[in-house]
Amino acid sequence: MECACIRYTDLPHATRLFTDLAYHFDRVRTFYPYSPHDGASFREAAARISFPPERRAAMAAALREQNGDSAELDLLAQPGTVAVVTGQQVGLFSGPAYTIYKALTAAKLARALSAQGIPAVPVFWLATEDHDFAEVNHCWVFDSSHHPVKLEVDGSQAPGQPVGGIRMPAPPTAEMAAALQGFPFGQEIAGLVQEAYAPGANLGQAFATLLRKLLPNYGLLVVDPMQPAMRELAAGPIRSALEVAPELTSEVLDRNQALAAAGYHAQVHVEAHTAFVFLLENNRRVALRRNGREYLANGRRFSTEELMERAATLSPNALLRPVVQDAIFPTVAYVGGPAELAYLAQSEVIYKAILGRMPVAMPRSGFTMLDWRTRKLIKRYRLSLQDVFRGSEFLRERMAEILVPEPLARTLDETETEIARSLERLYGELERFDPTLAAALATSRRKITYQLEKIGAKVGRESLSRHEQAGSDAEFLEALIYPHKHLQERFYSIIPLLAKHGPDLVDRIYENVRLDCPDHQLLMV
């Protein structure tokens, strides 16, 4: 498998906060305690973890309920072992492909740390508490013609219901199998998905089952925070956050201002009355608003002390959630994408107040898969990946230029060059004769150049219209590399890529996870 790198600064929609974390850590040092590119960071973060034996025993017992016995769980139960944590919403059919890339990055980092004398285990946090069903009830695959196909699950959701428990009477596995027909491994991969997404399974269970099937060899421990034992473990840090909520709010608001002043963005909007928790009640996640040390929810009032007593029935918001997670686990590093690592820049002040420590913020590896046809087309049309990112119209015009017959293209270039030289000579003579005439020529020159470029573009479009295959090629490139103006890894599930290239693609991706490389990778498969 060949591999090439592209800097995140050359990818569309990359945020400055993420690219500075990747390439200029000195600029973001105020917001993150450790550089992910310095090996000493992990040793320092591990040294700051204080994890009492009774807490470790309770954590191991809760994990055993969900994962059964394993060598990795036995290792995590031992004093001194740390966790490399990642996670994702429980999206249909494993959600976007980067879900798998996160897990593989966490697994690789855990193995690397273990080899360096820091025993580590990868842990995957299922975001089953989230209540935005619209974000997880669908996924995109592509068929053998590389046309995007949207798959969606029907499910009845009460307002605010955590998505992990939503049952699927009829998961769209038949539609998924139909889309994968024609791929060499389509039937095999469809079978794996159908086993995980049986009728009646809930989103959290099915996601966890599929994750284990796709990644059987990487020692990943899966965590559902809705499990009662996990809720009990989360109660302690939630109580701590409630006790100092006004101070936390002030700290986060100050942090948001500091991010803005540095030219960055605050990923999570926070107001003076923002609560860092939701109330879990009657299978719903109820929003709370804080007023001093009181909380309001649908006309009801709760004191801070009342909520502290029922902390096991509270659910953390996006900023408190990573702190709760890393209080449950001896987390040395969190592997995340741009949005999650932006959360951590805000959550850092909560980490200080509640835990007194914070893990290394580690960017996940990112990939775009390019097959032999993609490589052939990019070479034929002399394209770069950035050409595809610039959109349909630009891509087609760029390809059209390449399709112009060589003699005509040469004549157009020669004509433009000759006219430019002649106008330059004329401009010089006019400037000596009468500067006002030279100024008039400058305006006319721009019009002449524009008309020549317009003729060239028309020639290109005509050439493209005469080459139906070129239009098909452009559609193929867009659909595979930049579908609906999204990066491949953020749009498609990993499922069609496995159906096309085989289940061992996961192992090949793992081999190309480069912990010392901050770039996005292009894998030629």
Side-chain angles (χ1 to χ4, degrees), residues 59-269:
M59 171 203 68
L63 284 172
R64 189 165 279 110
E65 286 183 24
Q66 299 186 42
N67 295 271
D69 293 324
S70 69
E72 289 75 24
L73 184 50
D74 289 343
L75 177 59
L76 189 57
Q78 297 300 311
T81 301
V82 296
V84 176
V85 180
T86 189
Q88 182 60 29
Q89 294 170 300
V90 289
L92 181 65
F93 300 156
S94 79
Y98 66 69
T99 299
I100 302 302
Y101 307 157
K102 281 183 183 178
L104 292 176
T105 306
K108 192 128 188 189
L109 178 56
R111 289 188 184 179
L113 293 177
S114 296
Q116 297 166 21
I118 305 173
V121 172
V123 174
F124 194 99
W125 181 282
L126 305 172
T128 51
E129 293 176 283
D130 288 1
H131 59 269
D132 194 339
F133 183 56
E135 288 190 358
V136 298
N137 70 345
H138 66 280
C139 78
W140 287 87
V141 299
F142 55 82
D143 59 22
S144 57
S145 299
H146 295 85
H147 294 137
V149 177
K150 186 178 183 180
L151 304 174
E152 193 164 357
V153 65
D154 293 325
S156 56
Q157 182 201 27
Q161 180 182 354
V163 298
I166 295 177
R167 297 200 173 276
M168 300 171 285
T173 52
E175 295 90 331
M176 180 268 303
L180 301 185
Q181 282 183 353
F183 286 126
F185 303 92
Q187 187 173 355
E188 178 181 355
I189 299 302
L192 285 178
V193 178
Q194 288 167 339
E195 290 174 10
Y197 283 78
N202 67 40
L203 280 165
Q205 294 168 340
F207 184 101
T209 301
L210 182 59
L211 194 64
R212 292 188 179 102
K213 287 180 177 293
L214 297 180
L215 304 172
N217 304 318
Y218 296 100
L220 204 66
L221 297 176
V222 176
V223 181
D224 183 349
M226 293 295 287
Q227 175 203 29
M230 283 294 167
R231 300 229 57 78
E232 289 297 328
L233 290 172
I238 287 176
R239 288 191 192 100
S240 298
L242 288 168
E243 181 63 33
V244 294
E247 293 84 355
L248 289 183
T249 300
S250 177
E251 291 281 352
V252 173
L253 290 173
D254 288 346
R255 172 51 54 91
N256 290 357
Q257 290 182 354
L259 284 165
Y264 301 125
H265 67 291
Q267 185 74 22
V268 179
H269 179 68

Side-chain angles (χ1 to χ4, degrees), residues 417-439:
T417 300
E418 290 173 4
I419 290 176
R421 287 174 180 169
S422 297
L423 290 174
E424 188 65 31
R425 288 197 302 271
L426 179 57
Y427 181 85
E429 294 293 336
L430 288 174
E431 196 169 38
R432 286 189 291 271
F433 177 71
D434 185 341
T436 59
L437 294 176

